[in-house]
């Protein structure tokens, strides 16, 4: 807590001091910009923003490992605010939908497991963005896609640059950059969309660069996203099932001009968001899903999530020469969330409660309790999942270019100090259900259900050398993490936390090596390959082993004219797979408990192809088409009995849950001078919600589906465009998950229309 207060004060002082000293600071053009230039040593230097791997679609071709860059132009085609839909453009990902809007994404990479993204690294502008990425990586905050400008996804050996988790990969989201117009004037955009379910979405930003003096320029940006909907689900007895999001972002930056001599830069970012969503963990039984997939039981009528998030970030970069640069970032994230949601039910006066996952998972054995969920007389227990998080740290990356004989090097040295904390202070309230209406009868005392704090302190060090030797580029790297984890528990009757506490501590020290290689056969063909160690740290208070694997990949890239191809085969050899009990996995175990899954093999193929058919059809229109395909085979190689719901009792050869064998996305567009139209079709093969093999039982079957989205935009006058979007054109009905508790539908057909102004 002391560090939290000290950091806030330090961030404020740093900001004020930097603004006062503005003429001494500056900024590279934008976080998304990547410049390539010759150093004085004759080495091609990739002047990235310190912690980014690519930063542009072109730079992907140079990465010694798998990387995908989704550009601003691609994101704007469908105006998505759902990260799940956007990531269909990236191979190798497994996405477990939950609410239909992407509010709580569950993203896995190469079979890592998708629950709450807890096996992958989530960043915004190169900074860790999970509320507590070391102490509680499964926490529920994700930057709102509606204000994200671009995305890069990194897998393979390139992923060890980030950490703490390296078993799967990293997703970096680029916030809107300060506009950099040629005339050095203000520019921006305002987009307004509306449609079904009282949806209203407003996204606007404006800013630009201006001359501060002969030596210095100043840049500003102001942005907001206002997004709301009543929701597409039908609550028994009526009521909203949607959300309201307010998100604000501001940037202030300074950069030196060519006349100033030393190139250096500074940027300060502040982002604040507020979300209120009528979301629940309660799904449906298979029979009720078949009758009406969009129904919500009456017992979820008071369920509501409230999230407040704050990001403060200050970055400085200095280029001492074309051969040497240093980037330093100071960051602080504060997230407060309370998800008030049904936990269990019972008949009035019954001695024991039955969890909602047990009720909908076995409706025959729990018929009376199921009737209570639907509105019959009984009792409902609602848990106030009240938690606060913070994460803070400082990270620096030093880059140096040099030659050793005929071999060129670009060496990066990185260090990061990070602290984070999760504070759980939860209580249960009891309601009486009668005639479909819930009435509060017993309010629980704060902290009486869960009263604990988990915290972490970590030092991370990273070194990587990009070695160019003729047609061969080799990128060896080594990461070192030293992590101290602690969990402190107080009694349920000690809300003031003045009594004795139970403290559990564990320390993790790990070296994570990796190496990638690119061989240029000619200007069009490249062969790529790599190997690295995968690692996921155990949680606070855990007695389980860390998750470890050795990951391999190999493939090729081709790019010539209008055609681009990439195919990568991968094999992740786990010596131990780690499972974490969370309410989002259905509970049934002690929340936070971890389970060792032993040896697991995950192998597969990722394939992407892109082509502009304009040349073939001899037309002035642009006709881009693309295909993104993923094959994944993920199996347990050991047998064991597990109290972890998604695994159950495992036999050798059982398939991992929520890992479909086949996924395919096809996109096509037609773009004229003043209009454009696009279509995206996404196929996901059937999969299982519980580990197993052979035929999938109906109560564990996640449907295969094809979801088709359309968009069109036409310019009315310069700077003004009309937009039309249809999501799920065929109104496909499909179940996306049986977790947290029961079957859950994907979003039905939704029509949106609006207008975009640019200036």
């Amino acid at each position: 807590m002391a560090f939290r207060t000290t950091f806030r004060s330090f961030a404020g002082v740093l900001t004020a001091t930097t603004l006062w000293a503005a003429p001494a600071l500056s900024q590279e053009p934008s976080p998304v910009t990547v410049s390539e230039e010759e150093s004085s040593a004759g080495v091609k230097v990739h002047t990235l923003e310190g912690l980014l791997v690519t930063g542009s679609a072109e730079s992907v071709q140079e990465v010694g490992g798998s990387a995908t860059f989704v550009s601003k132009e691609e994101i704007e085609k469908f105006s998505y605010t759902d990260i799940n839909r956007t990531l269909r453009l990236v191979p190798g990902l497994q996405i477990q939908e939950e609410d239909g809007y992407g509010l709580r994404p569950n993203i896995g990479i190469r079979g890592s497991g998708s629950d709450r993204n807890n096996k992958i690294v989530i960043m915004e502008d190169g900074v860790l963005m999970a509320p507590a990425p070391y102490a509680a990586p499964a926490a529920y905050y994700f930057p709102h896609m509606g204000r994200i400008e671009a995305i890069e996804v990194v897998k393979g050996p390139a992923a060890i640059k980030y950490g703490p988790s390296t078993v799967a990969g990293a997703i970096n989201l680029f916030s809107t950059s300060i506009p950099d117009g040629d005339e050095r004037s203000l520019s921006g955009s305002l987009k307004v969309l509306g449609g079904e379910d009282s949806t209203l979405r407003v996204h606007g930003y404006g800013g630009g660069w201006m001359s501060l003096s002969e030596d210095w320029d100043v840049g500003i940006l102001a942005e907001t996203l206002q997004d709301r909907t009543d929701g597409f689900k039908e609550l028994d007895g009526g009521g909203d099932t949607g959300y309201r999001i307010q998100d604000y972002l501001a940037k202030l930056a300074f950069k030196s001009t060519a006349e100033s001599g030393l190139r250096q830069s500074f940027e300060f970012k502040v982002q604040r968001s507020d979300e209120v969503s009528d979301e629940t963990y309660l799904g449906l039984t298979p029979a009720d899903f078949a009758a009406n997939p969009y129904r919500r039981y009456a017992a979820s009528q008071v369920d509501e999530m409230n999230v407040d998030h704050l990001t403060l970030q200050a970055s400085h970069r200095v280029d001492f020469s074309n051969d040497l640069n240093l980037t330093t970032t100071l960051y602080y994230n504060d997230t407060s969330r309370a998800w008030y949601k049904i936990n269990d039910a019972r008949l009035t006066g019954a001695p024991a409660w039955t969890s909602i996952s047990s009720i909908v998972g076995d409706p025959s054995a729990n018929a009376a309790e199921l009737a209570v969920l639907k509105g019959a007389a009984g009792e409902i227990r609602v848990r106030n999942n009240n938690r606060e998080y913070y994460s803070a740290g400082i990270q620096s990356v030093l880059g140096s270019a040099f030659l050793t004989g005929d071999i060129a090097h670009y060496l990066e040295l990185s260090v990061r100090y990070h602290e984070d904390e999760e504070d759980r202070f939860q209580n249960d309230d009891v309601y009486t259900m009668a005639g479909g209406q819930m009435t509060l009868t017993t309010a629980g005392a704060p902290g009486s259900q869960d009263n604990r704090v988990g915290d972490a302190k970590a030092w991370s060090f990273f070194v990587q050398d990009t070695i160019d030797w003729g047609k061969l580029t080799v990128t060896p790297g080594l990461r070192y993490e030293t992590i101290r984890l602690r969990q402190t528990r107080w009694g349920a009757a000690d809300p003031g936390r003045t009594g004795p506490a139970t403290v559990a501590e564990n320390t993790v020290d790990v070296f994570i090596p990796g190496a990638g290689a690119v061989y240029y056969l000619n200007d069009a063909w490249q062969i790529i390959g790599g190997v690295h160690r995968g690692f996921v740290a155990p949680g606070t208070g855990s007695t389980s082993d860390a998750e470890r694997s050795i990951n391999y990949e190999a493939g090729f890239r081709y790019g010539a004219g209008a055609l681009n191809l990439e195919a990568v085969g991968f094999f992740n050899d786990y010596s131990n797979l780690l499972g974490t009990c969370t309410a989002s996995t259905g509970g049934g175990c002690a929340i936070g408990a971890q389970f060792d899954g032993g040896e697991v093999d995950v192998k597969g193929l990722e394939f992407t192809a892109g082509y502009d058919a304009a040349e073939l059809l001899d037309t002035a229109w642009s006709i881009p088409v693309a295909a993104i395909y993923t094959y994944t085979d993920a199996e347990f190689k050991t047998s064991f009995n597990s109290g972890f719901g998604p695994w159950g009792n495992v036999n050798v050869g059982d398939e991992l849950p929520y890992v479909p064998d086949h996924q395919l996305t096809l996109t096509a567009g037609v773009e004229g001078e003043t209009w454009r139209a696009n279509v995206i079709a996404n196929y996901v093969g059937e999969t299982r919600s519980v580990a197993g093999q052979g035929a999938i039982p109906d109560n564990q079957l996640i449907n295969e589906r094809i979801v088709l989205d359309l968009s069109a935009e036409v310019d009315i006058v310069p700077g003004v465009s009309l937009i039309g979007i249809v999501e799920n054109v065929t109104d496909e009905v499909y179940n996306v998950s049986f977790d947290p508790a029961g079957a859950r539908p994907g979003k039905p057909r939704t029509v949106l229309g609006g207008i975009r102004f640019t200036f």
Side-chain angles (χ1 to χ4, degrees):
M1 289 294 190
F3 179 81
R4 188 178 189 175
T5 302
T6 302
F7 185 90
R8 276 180 157 169
S9 301
F10 179 55
V13 171
L14 176 66
T15 303
T17 303
T18 305
L19 298 182
W20 175 78
L25 299 166
S26 66
Q27 155 120 18
E28 290 295 319
S30 80
V32 179
T33 298
V34 176
S35 59
E36 295 182 357
E37 56 195 51
E38 292 292 322
S39 73
S40 57
V43 181
K44 185 169 72 172
V45 180
H46 312 280
T47 57
L48 310 180
E49 288 296 314
L51 283 171
L52 310 182
V53 165
T54 61
S56 72
E58 293 75 18
S59 298
V60 167
Q61 304 301 315
E62 301 171 6
V63 174
S66 300
T68 302
F69 186 84
V70 184
S71 67
K72 179 180 180 179
E73 292 72 23
E74 286 296 320
I75 291 173
E76 286 184 344
K77 286 179 180 179
F78 288 90
S79 299
Y80 285 143
T81 56
D82 183 345
I83 184 66
N84 296 328
R85 281 181 134 81
T86 307
L87 290 179
R88 293 169 179 172
L89 299 172
V90 181
L93 274 57
Q94 289 80 41
I95 297 172
Q96 179 186 335
E97 296 184 45
E98 183 171 326
D99 50 60
Y101 294 110
L103 300 178
R104 248 69 71 196
N106 300 278
I107 305 166
I109 298 178
R110 292 181 174 176
S112 64
S114 55
D115 180 51
R116 296 294 184 245
N117 321 310
N118 68 348
K119 299 290 185 69
I120 67 176
V121 178
I122 301 295
M123 300 176 292
E124 182 178 321
D125 298 330
V127 168
L128 296 175
M129 198 49 58
Y134 284 83
Y140 314 155
Y141 170 76
F142 200 92
H144 298 300
M145 185 61 218
R147 63 170 181 81
I148 296 302
E149 184 173 79
I151 303 172
E152 72 172 5
V153 180
V154 179
K155 297 159 286 184
I160 69 170
K161 187 172 185 177
Y162 305 111
S165 299
T166 64
V167 70
I171 297 177
N172 184 48
L173 309 169
F174 295 84
S175 65
T176 301
S177 57
I178 299 174
D180 194 17
D182 295 335
E183 298 179 0
R184 313 295 275 175
S185 59
L186 296 179
S187 60
S189 171
L190 175 64
K191 179 168 58 180
V192 181
L193 289 172
E196 294 184 79
D197 304 316
S198 300
T199 298
L200 179 62
R201 188 178 304 156
V202 179
H203 176 229
Y205 67 88
W209 289 91
M210 295 161 284
S211 177
L212 189 64
S213 68
E214 181 180 350
D215 293 334
W216 313 103
D217 288 342
V218 59
I220 58 172
L221 174 75
E223 179 180 29
T224 185
L225 171 68
Q226 305 289 318
D227 191 10
R228 69 167 309 278
T229 182
D230 289 345
F232 61 85
K233 295 179 183 176
E234 303 162 7
L235 180 63
D236 291 350
D240 292 341
T241 60
Y243 63 85
R244 176 186 58 80
I245 293 170
Q246 301 180 80
D247 201 323
Y248 304 91
L249 180 143
K251 292 182 179 180
L252 177 63
F254 303 89
K255 66 179 179 180
S256 59
T257 63
E259 290 77 13
S260 64
L262 184 67
R263 294 179 299 169
Q264 56 177 328
S265 64
F266 172 80
E267 180 179 278
F268 177 73
K269 179 178 82 171
V270 57
Q271 180 265 328
R272 186 74 187 251
S273 64
D274 171 78
E275 175 195 325
V276 179
S277 52
D278 303 304
E279 281 298 332
T280 182
Y281 270 13
L282 182 57
L284 301 171
T285 67
D288 287 334
F289 184 91
N292 179 5
Y294 306 118
R295 179 185 181 183
R296 253 181 60 176
Y297 296 141
S300 67
Q301 61 192 257
V302 298
D303 289 12
E304 181 179 276
M305 167 72 109
N306 287 271
V307 186
D308 291 302
H309 177 82
L310 171 69
T311 289
L312 299 174
Q313 185 174 319
S315 301
H316 175 253
R317 177 184 171 111
V318 57
D319 289 288
F320 301 105
S321 67
N322 285 346
D323 303 327
L324 189 65
N325 60 75
L326 176 67
T327 302
T328 301
T329 300
L330 186 69
Y331 60 91
Y332 175 82
N333 297 307
D334 190 298
T335 306
S336 300
R337 50 138 290 194
W339 198 340
Y340 193 68
K341 63 183 187 298
I342 178 174
N343 191 72
D344 39 28
R346 68 182 180 185
L347 297 180
T348 303
W353 297 91
T354 305
S355 70
I356 55 174
S357 58
S358 296
I359 295 171
V360 298
D362 192 351
S364 298
N366 300 285
E369 290 81 2
L370 179 60
V372 176
L373 298 186
K374 297 180 179 181
E379 291 181 309
I380 302 292
R381 189 160 59 175
V382 179
R383 179 157 297 168
N384 181 16
N385 288 268
N386 181 34
R387 306 173 192 175
E388 293 188 359
Y389 303 88
Y390 88 89
S391 68
I394 184 169
Q395 57 193 28
S396 289
V397 180
L398 180 69
S400 176
F402 58 92
L403 291 171
T404 55
D406 294 332
I407 303 174
H409 300 261
Y410 184 63
L411 182 67
E412 292 176 281
L413 301 172
S414 172
V415 60
R416 178 175 70 204
Y417 176 72
H418 176 95
E419 289 190 2
D420 61 47
E421 178 184 279
E422 177 194 49
D423 187 336
R424 293 185 179 225
F425 199 61
Q426 304 180 171
N427 62 276
D428 287 338
D429 293 341
V430 178
Y431 287 77
T432 297
M433 174 71 81
Q437 295 299 314
M438 293 170 57
T439 303
L440 179 65
T441 55
T442 305
S448 59
Q449 188 277 322
D450 201 353
N451 187 6
R452 60 180 157 119
V453 171
D455 62 79
K457 294 180 172 65
W459 282 96
S460 306
F461 302 89
F462 177 76
V463 58
Q464 175 177 281
D465 190 9
T466 301
I467 304 169
D468 290 325
W469 186 17
K471 294 183 177 182
L472 177 65
T473 298
V474 181
T475 311
L478 178 65
R479 181 175 196 85
Y480 171 68
E481 294 263 0
T482 178
I483 309 166
R484 195 226 66 182
L485 300 161
R486 181 178 62 185
Q487 184 183 91
T488 307
R489 287 182 177 268
W490 291 269
D494 185 16
R497 295 176 172 174
T498 57
T502 302
V503 179
E505 294 185 287
N506 53 323
T507 302
V508 178
D509 292 280
V510 61
F511 285 96
I512 306 171
V518 181
Y519 185 77
Y520 297 83
L521 294 173
N522 51 45
D523 290 341
W525 288 94
Q526 304 170 27
I527 297 174
I528 63 174
V531 59
H532 78 282
R533 170 176 289 176
F535 169 79
V536 176
T540 57
S542 175
T543 58
S544 289
D545 295 331
E547 181 168 296
R548 298 179 186 273
S549 65
I550 302 296
N551 304 339
Y552 309 87
E553 67 173 19
F556 70 86
R557 299 185 185 120
Y558 172 84
L563 178 64
N564 290 280
L565 299 172
E566 179 174 310
V568 176
F570 63 88
F571 175 60
N572 294 354
D573 184 4
Y574 288 83
S575 58
N576 184 52
L577 182 70
L578 196 62
T580 303
C581 179
T582 63
S584 54
T585 59
C589 42
I591 302 301
Q594 293 193 307
F595 301 84
D596 294 320
E599 296 181 14
V600 172
D601 286 351
V602 181
K603 54 184 177 292
L605 172 68
E606 300 166 0
F607 175 80
T608 60
Y611 181 66
D612 192 330
E615 182 177 345
L616 179 66
L617 299 177
D618 192 22
T619 176
W621 297 343
S622 177
I623 308 177
V625 295
I628 302 99
Y629 171 73
T630 303
Y631 169 73
T632 312
D633 179 13
E635 294 184 353
F636 286 96
K637 308 308 286 187
T638 54
S639 299
F640 57 92
N641 295 331
S642 167
F644 183 44
W647 292 354
N649 296 327
V650 173
N651 296 308
V652 172
D654 281 358
E655 298 173 342
L656 268 64
Y658 294 106
V659 180
D661 289 348
H662 302 282
Q663 298 180 83
L664 175 65
T665 297
L666 301 174
T667 70
V670 181
E671 301 176 15
E673 185 175 348
T674 60
W675 58 272
R676 56 215 65 93
N678 292 277
V679 58
I680 179 170
N682 174 246
Y683 168 78
V684 179
E686 69 177 22
T687 187
R688 59 183 73 244
S689 63
V690 178
Q693 51 189 300
I696 305 175
D698 289 343
N699 64 349
Q700 299 176 11
L701 175 63
I702 309 303
N703 303 129
E704 67 173 355
R705 68 265 190 180
I706 298 175
V707 179
L708 189 70
D709 294 348
L710 297 174
S711 73
E713 184 171 356
V714 58
D715 302 333
I716 304 303
V717 296
V720 181
S721 304
L722 295 180
I723 303 171
I725 300 168
V726 184
E727 296 177 346
N728 194 358
V729 175
T730 61
D731 204 20
E732 179 85 356
V733 176
Y734 56 100
N735 174 30
V736 298
S737 174
F738 279 103
D739 293 323
R744 312 178 74 85
K747 187 164 69 170
R749 180 169 53 228
T750 303
V751 180
L752 301 173
I755 190 168
R756 187 202 312 266
F757 302 93
T758 56
F759 61 93

